[in-house]
Amino acid sequence: MMTRTKYRPAEIERKWQADWDSQGIYYAKDDAPNPNYYNLVMLPYPSGDLHLGHWYNYTGIDAHGRFMRMRGWNVSQPMGFDAFGLPAENAAIRHNIQPRTWTLENIERMRVQLRKMGACWDWPRETVSCLPDYYKWTEWLFLQFYQAGLAYRTKAPANWCPSCNTTLANEQVVNGTCERCHTLVIRKEIDQWLFRITKYADELLDFSGLNWPEKTVTMQRNWIGRSEGAEIRFVLRVEQEKVEIPVFTTRPDTIYGVTFFVLAPEHPLVGRITTTEQQKAVEGYVDQARRESEIERMSTEKEKTGVFTGAYVTNPVSGEQVPIWIADYVLMSYGTGAVMGVPAHDQRDFEFARKFGLPIRQVINPPEEEPSDPATWTEAKAHYGVMINSGPFNGTPLEEAIKAVTRYCEKQGIGKATVSYRLRDWLVSRQRYWGAPIPIVYCEKDGIVPVPEDQLPVLLPDEVEFKPTGESPLRYVSEFLNTTCQKCGGPATRETDTLDTFLCSSWYFLRYIDPKNDQEAWSKEKIAKWLPVDMYMGGAEHAVMHLLYARFFVKALRDMGLLNFNEPFTRLYHQGTVLGPDGQKMSKSRGNVVAPDDVVDAFGADAVRGYLMFMGPFDQGGPCSIQGIEGVSRFLNRVWNLVQDSAEAFSGAAVVDTEIGREIKRTTHKAIKRVTTEYEHIRFNTALAGMMELSNALIKARETEAVRTAEYRQAIAVLLKLLAPLAPHITEELWHQIGEHESIHVQLWPIYDEALTRDAVVTVVVQVNGKVREKLEAAPDASEEEVQALAMASERVKANLGGKAPKKVIYVPGKLINLVG
RNA sequence: GCCGGGGUGGCGGAAUCGGCAGACGCGACGGUCUCAAAAACCGUUGAGGGCAACCUCAUGAGGGUUCAAGUCCCUCCCUCGGCACCA
């Protein structure tokens, strides 16, 4: 036996990373002979250091990309940085450092760490969203949306700390108070820009042709929240003037059950309709509601609250007058901000009526049930049924009820069938410095004036001060703020809010394809070669917002003629979360953080990559254990020794056509089949288990004359190829050690012969009354009669059947026979 | 609260379609090698009972469907992600 060299991960990893870099083998050409495969991972926020979660995510995309590459695809796997956002500004305030400096330093550090993974990053395509050559086009896109009528300015609420005089992100609100000064936070209406995503609500509900996790599709559907119903206008007189208040309802059939009416506390009509006697109570309640979060308000657990306004409104269908209340369970952001109170048939209205002693009237009765006294009810009856106590509509059957009332409203001109969505327009204004400027100028004469495209980008000034004024720091940079109007040439001021970073990340996957283009955001020809994205990986926390915004962007840009496909991401996969060894979320305060640099230094990148993928199902994540990394490290060592011990055999003459060789061949083909299937389904843990089984079999065979068979050599080569996507360095090194000269990462994936994966004899389980009593060997295609005869020959089976013949026999060919006595 | 996941040995997990529960790995125990230790290698390892052949129990809890349930249905408990300004 030849003397082994020792497996030294650090050495070979450095060596091969340099080799791959110098050859640029992972930099995808646009016009390769093989088909393009866009392998995308959600780009990171440059927080400073790569943590284990990044490693987890990126190893997954990299293993998938390498697998697809070996299967013959021209894979591009780009990387970039989503570099605008709040943390840079916090760092600026805390450490007196320019956000740009802080961000770019972090990016540089992360680039170095990313290279240590040995992943096939397509670096020439890198983009950084906070650099002018990127945000120029973010601004340009804003203008396209504006010109298409998809961007508009209106009053919208923001979290406001009255003491710091500043708007706050939700994250900065702790238990309803400001994280810095603990003052109660209120919601304040300010002028802001929004994107009209609701225009695409219906198209966004269509997921056909997408290979996405079912749960993500469900979450997006629920988020959009389409419901069909009717808008009905209730009427009242205020100082002789007729005022109409529309309500949205999914149950127009319950209109005769309306016994009260509720407005959201922030409803614009509240001030106008409130009577003098009720004014104090109403104002107090509105104040209180402004301090509550929507999550608190929507809680069905919380006891209902509300205040009577003193006003009454007329039910346009029944003509009845009912009192108008305000209550926090009605949200201004859904429907029309007004609700018709039908306590008999809506649980929230029921609770409200019980709390305030309002009447409850049953108007819907399920078929074959007698109406009952609502006073005896413990909850609302929300089901459908026949209309009762409903004047001319009495007796309308449940199938007709909703349609009948809606039709009546339409005929009378008091309402119409309509569709309501939970989805709201996308608020893109941020009162912050570190974001892409909104390319808009305000002129006293001409109003809102977009910055001409040839003047883009509107550059962020470097010199800013972070003062708690409630406005973007940009407002105090006069060289930035003051400009001239492009229409009239008169003095004008710039928009000082910046864009939500979700906007930057809604199109980066387009820029990757053409990152250096200074003439246009992207070339349509290049986009056609790569888009839509074939695989998109990222956390499930983005299931709704980011993924919905990106879909909206693509659809809107398609309608502007800038793209010609419908969906950005054909296949989507969510990786899970890596937890600390204690099963808790990793955090400095818990002291359970595993730093990738430390474990990579100790075990090498390949062992860390392998362990992360072996830990459990990739979409589940789980606790990280150092001992687990050791385990995979041991496996890699065994593979190293196995190949080194076999290197000698590779140089000698092969023994051909032996029984032992055929057995190895069968094992090898079974392994290829299993591992390939697992890779296809992104099940890296079981893929690796399959490789371990193959390697265990080869280690056993090493002790026999099998080492000199051609099949054994092939098995070794196969094992290295199967392992290459997970452990790229060690496999590259060993590949060269067995005498190959090309990179293993440009080899083709091994293929298996189905016939060779089948066993000659299978184990059939014999059950008696559903319990396993015997196992026997049979041909895979043995008939029921044969297997039953074999089973009945067993003493155990006979004893368990009590010597009698079975009453019933269930046979699953090649697997199981169940004899029921 | 609402929406969406998840719960299997001492631990991470495996188990195409409802068909042998516990693959693979970690840990533990025993052994080989060694002056010794580490490493490496070999073996055992769900729980309970039995001298043994074997038997019984067991996939968060309780109920149900089925020849057969980790897998399907109902009720409940725990836990994780999202909830529109963290990204």
Side-chain angles (χ1 to χ4, degrees):
Chain A
M1 194 178 280
M2 233 189 233
T3 31
R4 292 172 180 170
T5 60
K6 201 165 175 283
Y7 170 44
R8 291 181 214 281
E11 238 166 70
I12 62 165
E13 286 172 9
R14 212 178 310 122
K15 169 173 135 195
W16 289 112
Q17 282 167 18
D19 182 76
W20 299 331
D21 263 4
S22 69
Q23 294 191 51
I25 65 168
Y26 303 128
Y27 305 160
K29 297 194 175 64
D30 290 330
D31 295 296
N34 43 346
N36 291 346
Y37 189 89
Y38 194 168
N39 195 43
L40 181 66
V41 69
M42 289 181 188
L43 84 178
Y45 177 79
S47 51
D49 284 292
L50 225 54
H51 53 75
L52 211 59
H54 290 119
W55 268 76
Y56 190 65
N57 193 186
Y58 303 156
T59 302
I61 194 75
D62 189 55
H64 178 70
R66 288 177 178 280
F67 171 67
M68 294 309 283
R69 172 188 306 275
M70 290 176 83
R71 297 192 103 195
W73 297 82
N74 179 44
V75 175
S76 175
Q77 184 177 298
M79 176 47 69
F81 297 93
D82 186 17
F84 276 135
L86 193 60
E89 247 170 275
N90 287 340
I93 293 165
R94 236 170 305 184
H95 305 120
N96 194 30
I97 181 172
Q98 225 287 334
R100 178 206 316 278
T101 314
W102 182 84
T103 304
L104 294 181
E105 281 174 8
N106 285 352
I107 288 175
E108 198 37 54
R109 206 154 60 241
M110 287 173 84
R111 281 191 188 121
V112 172
Q113 293 170 326
L114 280 163
R115 282 174 197 275
K116 279 173 82 175
M117 294 186 63
C120 28
W121 302 122
D122 195 347
W123 284 115
R125 299 180 186 276
E126 187 205 54
T127 64
V128 177
S129 70
C130 70
L131 296 179
D133 62 357
Y134 185 87
Y135 74 71
K136 170 181 178 176
W137 300 109
T138 306
E139 293 176 13
W140 181 82
L141 285 165
F142 176 90
L143 292 179
Q144 307 313 303
F145 276 75
Y146 176 71
Q147 271 136 30
L150 291 171
Y152 64 96
R153 197 164 127 101
T154 188
K155 286 242 187 283
N159 294 320
W160 179 264
C161 173
S163 161
C164 297
N165 248 350
T166 187
T167 55
L168 297 173
N170 286 343
E171 190 189 50
Q172 298 171 304
V173 181
V174 182
N175 297 327
T177 67
C178 171
E179 68 172 359
R180 267 179 237 142
C181 68
H182 308 293
T183 307
L184 272 177
V185 170
I186 62 164
R187 276 192 311 281
K188 190 180 165 184
E189 299 277 325
I190 52 178
D191 281 319
Q192 308 200 65
W193 285 93
L194 286 95
F195 273 13
R196 215 178 290 281
I197 189 172
T198 50
K199 190 179 168 194
Y200 286 84
D202 271 319
E203 201 193 332
L204 288 167
L205 284 167
D206 179 8
F207 296 87
S208 45
L210 297 186
N211 181 358
W212 279 32
E214 201 46 53
K215 62 166 186 171
T216 310
V217 171
T218 306
M219 276 194 266
Q220 290 210 353
R221 281 220 176 92
N222 293 340
W223 185 261
I224 294 167
R226 183 181 201 274
S227 39
E228 292 183 7
E231 194 174 291
I232 301 173
R233 293 193 298 280
F234 281 56
V235 195
L236 77 158
R237 296 207 160 266
V238 184
E239 293 151 4
Q240 305 314 309
E241 196 191 327
K242 185 176 158 191
V243 174
E244 292 188 324
I245 316 180
V247 293
F248 172 78
T249 174
T250 56
R251 295 296 304 274
D253 56 326
T254 64
I255 188 113
Y256 279 82
V258 176
T259 55
F260 59 96
F261 195 89
V262 195
L263 294 178
E266 58 274 61
H267 196 286
L269 284 175
V270 169
R272 257 181 93 188
I273 61 165
T274 302
T275 59
T276 352
E277 302 82 70
Q278 290 302 100
Q279 201 170 333
K280 244 196 158 145
V282 166
E283 277 168 10
Y285 188 78
V286 170
D287 253 13
Q288 179 204 314
R290 285 212 297 173
R291 289 196 285 270
E292 290 172 335
S293 72
E294 290 211 347
I295 293 173
E296 284 164 3
R297 286 173 57 167
M298 285 185 299
S299 167
T300 50
E301 200 94 307
K302 201 182 83 153
E303 199 172 338
K304 292 280 174 292
T305 60
V307 170
F308 178 44
T309 62
Y312 290 82
V313 72
T314 306
N315 180 334
V317 179
S318 68
E320 198 175 354
Q321 284 222 328
V322 293
I324 306 179
W325 289 62
I326 59 170
D328 60 3
Y329 77 95
V330 178
L331 303 176
M332 201 54 223
S333 54
Y334 181 75
T336 62
V339 161
M340 58 183 218
V342 185
H345 306 295
D346 179 281
Q347 186 57 27
R348 289 159 307 176
D349 296 348
F350 181 85
E351 286 162 18
F352 192 78
R354 275 283 158 86
K355 172 85 187 278
F356 295 105
L358 296 159
I360 300 174
R361 185 193 309 146
Q362 183 179 8
V363 294
I364 295 291
N365 196 48
E368 283 145 52
E369 211 178 275
E370 286 301 310
S372 53
D373 180 3
T376 65
W377 297 1
T378 53
E379 57 181 19
K381 294 184 189 277
H383 37 53
Y384 298 92
V386 180
M387 292 177 74
I388 59 168
N389 297 326
S390 297
F393 290 95
N394 279 342
T396 311
L398 80 175
E399 305 82 23
E400 287 298 311
I402 290 177
K403 280 184 230 156
V405 175
T406 308
R407 236 184 348 252
Y408 174 83
C409 289
E410 283 175 347
K411 241 186 242 160
Q412 299 293 310
I414 52 173
K416 57 169 198 269
T418 182
V419 177
S420 192
Y421 300 91
R422 215 181 67 91
L423 181 70
R424 314 205 285 254
D425 275 341
W426 172 14
L427 198 156
V428 298
S429 291
R430 299 291 181 269
Q431 294 72 43
R432 300 236 166 71
Y433 162 71
W434 194 232
I438 298 177
I440 290 287
V441 156
Y442 301 102
C443 167
E444 267 190 34
K445 238 173 71 193
D446 296 307
I448 295 174
V449 181
V451 174
E453 287 181 15
D454 60 11
Q455 289 181 21
L456 298 182
V458 174
L459 285 171
L460 276 178
D462 283 345
E463 297 290 323
V464 285
E465 257 191 86
F466 297 94
K467 286 187 280 192
T469 60
E471 283 168 307
S472 164
L474 292 173
R475 181 153 286 266
Y476 300 94
V477 182
S478 57
E479 314 85 81
F480 178 87
L481 180 69
N482 298 309
T483 182
T484 48
C485 171
Q486 285 299 311
K487 279 192 186 160
C488 67
T493 55
R494 286 190 191 281
E495 168 66 63
T496 54
D497 284 357
T498 52
L499 290 167
D500 179 8
T501 55
F502 270 127
L503 217 124
C504 310
S505 58
S506 292
W507 74 282
Y508 72 100
F509 48 92
L510 302 170
R511 187 66 181 175
Y512 276 158
I513 298 310
D514 199 5
K516 304 209 166 58
N517 194 335
D518 55 6
Q519 298 304 306
E520 48 187 352
W522 55 78
S523 128
K524 259 178 110 173
E525 291 70 46
K526 286 191 182 176
I527 291 285
K529 288 175 185 159
W530 288 101
L531 271 286
V533 171
D534 295 285
M535 168 59 93
Y536 194 30
M537 278 193 193
E541 68 273 23
H542 294 293
V544 181
M545 303 181 63
H546 161 63
L547 286 166
L548 201 60
Y549 294 149
R551 293 180 65 215
F552 160 60
F553 247 63
V554 163
K555 288 169 194 301
L557 294 170
R558 174 204 60 200
D559 289 347
M560 295 172 205
L562 294 166
L563 295 175
N564 49 13
F565 54 97
N566 298 316
E567 288 284 348
F569 316 119
T570 305
R571 187 173 177 191
L572 174 70
Y573 193 94
H574 296 303
Q575 85 282 0
T577 317
V578 189
L579 305 172
D582 54 358
Q584 298 290 106
K585 209 182 213 174
M586 278 194 205
S587 75
K588 278 181 194 156
S589 57
R590 281 203 188 89
N592 62 350
V593 175
V594 177
D597 285 353
D598 297 349
V599 283
V600 169
D601 287 348
F603 302 102
D606 281 339
V608 173
R609 290 171 57 114
Y611 169 68
L612 289 172
M613 296 301 99
F614 185 61
M615 216 169 69
F618 187 49
D619 58 358
Q620 254 171 56
C624 164
S625 112
I626 304 290
Q627 282 173 338
I629 303 178
E630 266 170 23
V632 173
S633 171
R634 275 206 285 270
F635 165 67
L636 294 180
N637 256 301
R638 280 196 294 270
V639 172
W640 176 273
N641 292 336
L642 175 70
V643 177
Q644 289 230 329
D645 291 350
S646 320
E648 196 175 10
F650 273 85
S651 51
V655 177
V656 277
D657 197 32
T658 60
E659 179 51 40
I660 198 158
R662 280 191 291 276
E663 192 50 46
I664 287 173
K665 194 163 190 175
R666 182 158 37 244
T667 309
T668 308
H669 281 246
K670 276 181 166 171
I672 299 172
K673 181 181 180 177
R674 175 169 181 205
V675 172
T676 303
T677 311
E678 304 297 21
Y679 269 120
E680 279 169 348
H681 292 93
I682 324 288
R683 293 190 295 242
F684 302 118
N685 55 331
T686 45
L688 201 49
M691 294 174 223
M692 286 170 172
E693 279 176 350
L694 175 60
S695 123
N696 288 344
L698 293 177
I699 286 168
K700 272 216 176 88
R702 176 172 55 180
E703 309 306 322
T704 71
E705 61 169 5
V707 272
R708 284 188 304 279
T709 62
E711 288 88 350
Y712 185 82
R713 296 178 188 186
Q714 271 159 18
I716 294 282
V718 163
L719 175 62
L720 291 179
K721 285 185 186 177
L722 296 180
L723 185 56
L726 293 173
H729 311 88
I730 186 176
T731 49
E732 182 79 306
E733 173 65 24
L734 292 172
W735 185 247
H736 284 78
Q737 283 185 17
I738 60 170
E740 299 289 342
H741 298 291
E742 243 186 352
S743 170
I744 193 171
H745 303 298
V746 299
Q747 303 304 310
L748 283 180
W749 193 252
I751 46 172
Y752 63 90
D753 181 346
E754 181 67 44
L756 282 171
T757 65
R758 280 194 284 268
D759 290 305
V761 178
V762 294
T763 305
V764 176
V765 170
V766 183
Q767 296 186 337
V768 176
N769 293 322
K771 289 200 165 159
V772 180
R773 298 300 180 186
E774 188 64 278
K775 288 174 189 183
L776 44 89
E777 307 263 279
D781 54 353
S783 72
E784 178 170 339
E785 288 71 32
E786 288 174 68
V787 173
Q788 192 180 338
L790 278 172
M792 292 305 292
S794 152
E795 291 305 321
R796 278 187 71 196
V797 171
K798 275 189 240 173
N800 277 289
L801 275 169
K804 284 180 230 147
K807 288 194 193 104
K808 190 174 170 186
V809 178
I810 288 109
Y811 178 54
V812 184
K815 270 200 174 150
L816 169 146
I817 186 162
N818 189 5
L819 309 170
V820 185

